[in-house]
Amino acid sequence: MLRPRRLLAVAAALSASVGLVGCVLYLKPRCDDQIRNGSETDVDCGGSCPPCATGRLCDSGADCESGNCGGGRCAPRPCENGLQDGAESDVDCGGGTCRPCAGGRQCLAGPDCANGNCEAATSTCFSIRPVSFADPVAYASGEKTYALFSADLDGDGHVDLVAANEQGNSVTAFRNLGDGTFAGAPSVRTGNYPTGGGIADFNRDGVPDLVTANYHGNSVSVLLGVGDGTLRPGVDYATATGAATSNLAVGDLDGDGTPDVVATNPALGSFSQFMGRTDGTLSPVVNVPVGIVDASGPFSAAIGDFDGDGRDDVAVADLVSRRMIVRLGNGDGTLGPEASYPIGGIPAFIVVAHDVDLDGTLDLVVANRGSDDVSVLPGRGDGSFRDPVVSGTGAGTGPYAIAVADFDLDGVPDVATANYLTSTASVLLGTGDGRFETPIDAGSMGSFSYGVVAADLDGDGKPDLAVCNAASNDVVVRLNASP
């Protein structure tokens, strides 16, 4: 089989041989080749491809996500036109015909609000604003603390933290004392340079376990939970030589109830797939190419049921093409063909799957370190994704990792980012349509902030922030101090 680069060379040679100027040969138009071809009305959309976003070219309403084509371009739906019209209680929300409103928006009755609470005195949807955070409390971890995870490791009902120490080749568990303060345990060995990971119950004993992606180890490590807040030393599983395994995602790809792992290998343009066994071990690796051969850099991944068929699917954020590569699961551990979607930002990319627009389907939420923003790729519910909605985190912030929580308790998901360049965290309050308000600076979080967790750490019902820092070698906690 000819590779894409070879195909282009063949096309160029054919054009020259027959005297054609500016001719490009397309053997088979696709809906993800970033070219307007076939029956498409705009690049990779319309016609026989997925519908086009607002503002893109169309021939009829069927070419548009909104179902509305006017003057040759897709026009927004009434509930997405930026106006307060019809029965809406505020712009594009409320009134029983549009999505419920986020906190602080105008309302007439409870159903107008995402949390069902319309405050009669002000006719606004309830929220705890302004969102603010208490002074930072730092906990020493290991050398170059790079990634952060959360789970109840000891079964006491409180959220504990685990930090991955990249240069320390270890992880450090922090047991929650019940009030949002923490006690650290001795660090435990992983493979070389853990830079990503996830938490799941790999041996199905009811105790959370940890898996790390090891950048210089070209491996993943599984650390089984003891049940008292500590972890056993890691068992390593090789990905591929020279893989630079950067991040991973955990899900159940074969439907057997045991977690499986997909780990990204940017140096090889692939991901490594490990199927979980009930004893907490992983099956032999299967390495799967991603994107264009010799022209991809898969950096992070998310697993979720994107098409609502009850089977987990895989999304991989690619550094080189700046696109999201999606493969739908067949339910037996195998995956369908690739489809790709623009991310709308500049890498590095960290992706999580969450329904941030409250339509009942998973979206892909991405921190874009190179462009100081967050992208949301709204899910259509059929396994495909709409064009990204991009919101800034603040100039020069460099958001590396991302977490989702409802910080103002208005019923709408918000996001928090750990900002590498400013050593701060940003909180972006959601509007319920994949967009976010002006970022809130959550304050100093240490030095060179990478990983972030958003969870109720002190048990007061409000999400708090924890960030890990690669230069100060610590985890910093800021409790939610909103009224």
Side-chain angles (χ1 to χ4, degrees), residues 10 73 82 156 207 238 267 301 312 372 381 398 402 434 460:
V10 171
R73 290 191 179 273
D156 65 354
V207 176
D312 273 351
D372 301 330
I402 192 165
D460 67 351

Side-chain angles (χ1 to χ4, degrees), residues 246-311:
S246 53
N247 289 282
L248 59 78
V250 178
D252 185 6
L253 296 176
D254 56 2
D256 66 353
T258 301
D260 309 311
V261 176
V262 166
T264 51
N265 305 316
L268 297 182
S270 69
F271 65 76
S272 294
Q273 184 173 333
F274 297 90
M275 309 309 294
R277 300 182 174 125
T278 56
D279 60 357
T281 62
L282 301 179
S283 67
V285 65
V286 175
N287 286 307
V288 181
V290 174
I292 299 174
V293 176
D294 299 328
S296 67
F299 186 68
S300 67
I303 294 178
D305 182 5
F306 304 139
D307 57 357
D309 66 353
R311 300 179 291 199

Side-chain angles (χ1 to χ4, degrees), residues 5 14 16 35 43 71 131 172 244 253 257 267 284-285 311 334 351 358 372 389 418 452:
R5 291 178 179 175
L14 287 173
I35 304 167
V43 176
V131 173
T172 305
L253 296 176
V285 65
R311 300 179 291 199
T334 64
V351 58
L358 300 178
D372 301 330
V389 179
V452 62

Side-chain angles (χ1 to χ4, degrees), residues 349-449:
F349 299 129
I350 296 291
V351 58
V352 298
H354 198 98
D355 179 12
V356 295
D357 59 7
L358 300 178
D359 65 353
T361 63
L362 284 176
D363 312 307
L364 296 172
V365 189
V366 191
N368 307 318
R369 191 176 90 175
S371 48
D372 301 330
D373 50 35
V374 168
S375 297
V376 174
L377 282 66
R380 294 190 177 99
D382 60 359
S384 66
F385 293 85
R386 297 168 60 185
D387 282 351
V389 179
V390 181
S391 302
T393 57
T397 49
Y400 183 76
I402 192 165
V404 181
D406 182 6
F407 286 97
D408 61 348
L409 304 185
D410 67 346
V412 174
D414 313 311
V415 298
T417 59
N419 300 324
Y420 163 79
L421 293 178
T422 55
S423 301
T424 62
S426 296
V427 172
L428 286 70
L429 300 181
T431 60
D433 59 355
R435 294 173 172 81
F436 299 93
E437 297 182 8
T438 302
I440 298 168
D441 184 354
S444 175
M445 302 300 289
S447 183
F448 287 92
S449 303

Side-chain angles (χ1 to χ4, degrees), residues 66-87:
S66 65
N68 185 5
C69 179
R73 290 191 179 273
C74 294
R77 290 182 282 249
C79 294
E80 297 176 355
N81 61 9
L83 302 172
Q84 183 179 349
D85 50 15

Side-chain angles (χ1 to χ4, degrees), residues 17 50 72 145 206 209 335 341 448:
S17 68
T145 310
D209 310 307
L335 301 169
Y341 307 90
F448 287 92

